[in-house]
Amino acid sequence: MTGKPRLFGADYSVYVRIARLALLEKGVDHECIPVDIFSKDGVPDWYQERHPFKRIPAFEHGSLKLFETSAITRYVDEAYDGPLLQPPDAFGRAVMNQIVSLLDAYAYRAMVWGVYVERVSKPRENNTPDERLIAASLETARTCLSVLDRQLADKSWLIGDALTLADLYAASMLAYFVKAPEGAALVADYPAVARWWHAVQARTSFQASEPTS
Ligand SMILES: N[C@@H](CCC(=O)N[C@@H](CS)C(=O)NCC(=O)O)C(=O)O
């Protein structure tokens, strides 16, 4: 397939950042096409053709059009040269997929919406945070972090010595979670996660994908 791949979305999005991290870690030259889901005019009509639920990201490479971050990141990993972002063995891939599912199903809602949005975004817009939601979300976050901490106890990255998609998902979600004081404090309670978080922040891909807005 020829031509640069195109990634549609906004840099503030957790899922767009995961896809960008994959592109950057693979060293894939790509184009970012802005789509603002929070625009006052709403998501542009043309975007529905890219994503039936008008979520971000969407992706295009030649005649291939994709939505869903799991499909995009796996394609990027498999279609391009560069470091493998999925373990080569079935055992490692199974554990990686389990961690990605955990992050998708439990961590995203709790860490980003339940803690970051309630504690940081809402007060910034003069809205009152829902303390019960924050407390419940911190409980879920604690469960997620204890799984990640066990996983990282004897490894540099979540699945082993090489960074994988599981690390990219976790990095993008924790980036918002730690902006809330309770999130930062909770991460500090998990020594292996705290060590991993330090390593994540030093990566060029993480710095290059920092949201601008
Ligand atoms: N399952 C989707 C989730 C994507 C997603 O939820 N993106 C958020 C931004 S981080 C979004 O577009 N939200 C808009 C909405 O919920 O209407 C994926 O993996 O790509």
Side-chain angles (χ1 to χ4, degrees):
M1 205 105 61
T2 53
K4 273 191 206 178
R6 302 203 295 164
L7 184 66
F8 298 78
D11 63 3
Y12 58 70
S13 151
V14 166
Y15 284 96
V16 171
R17 189 174 196 182
I18 296 165
R20 271 215 85 208
L21 284 167
L23 288 158
L24 292 165
E25 287 289 341
K26 295 294 278 190
V28 178
D29 190 16
H30 60 279
E31 213 180 314
C32 294
I33 315 291
V35 175
D36 183 6
I37 45 170
F38 297 128
S39 149
K40 63 172 173 33
D41 303 325
V43 176
D45 286 343
W46 62 263
Y47 188 68
Q48 184 129 30
E49 187 205 312
R50 301 268 168 195
H51 198 306
F53 297 98
K54 291 191 177 181
R55 294 203 169 199
I56 51 176
F59 176 88
E60 179 185 284
H61 185 207
S63 60
L64 178 68
K65 291 188 172 78
L66 289 175
F67 56 90
E68 286 302 300
T69 307
S70 59
I72 296 167
T73 50
R74 282 165 177 81
Y75 172 75
V76 167
D77 188 35
E78 290 161 23
Y80 292 94
D81 293 335
L84 290 181
L85 298 176
Q86 300 171 89
D89 59 299
F91 186 111
R93 272 199 308 281
V95 180
M96 184 199 78
N97 289 332
Q98 176 178 259
I99 299 292
V100 167
S101 285
L102 169 143
L103 293 162
D104 252 341
Y106 311 107
Y108 173 63
R109 193 88 336 241
M111 290 183 172
V112 179
W113 287 93
V115 177
Y116 169 77
V117 171
E118 291 298 326
R119 178 60 77 223
V120 181
S121 303
K122 273 198 174 172
R124 208 167 43 205
E125 288 150 19
N126 293 323
N127 292 318
T128 309
D130 179 341
E131 296 296 340
R132 282 172 61 176
L133 177 58
I134 293 176
S137 301
L138 283 169
E139 265 318 295
T140 306
R142 210 170 261 124
T143 307
C144 295
L145 288 171
S146 63
V147 173
L148 301 187
D149 204 60
R150 255 199 322 274
Q151 196 58 34
L152 284 161
D154 52 355
K155 307 176 196 69
S156 308
W157 300 104
L158 280 164
I159 314 302
D161 291 333
L163 177 121
T164 67
L165 299 180
D167 298 289
L168 306 187
Y169 272 72
S172 188
M173 293 176 192
L174 260 76
Y176 277 115
F177 185 58
V178 299
K179 289 185 197 294
E182 294 97 326
L186 204 53
V187 167
D189 281 349
Y190 292 90
V193 174
R195 168 179 46 76
W196 167 90
W197 176 237
H198 194 70
V200 163
Q201 291 173 89
R203 286 197 86 87
T204 311
S205 63
F206 188 77
Q207 291 165 9
S209 59
E210 189 76 51
T212 50
S213 48

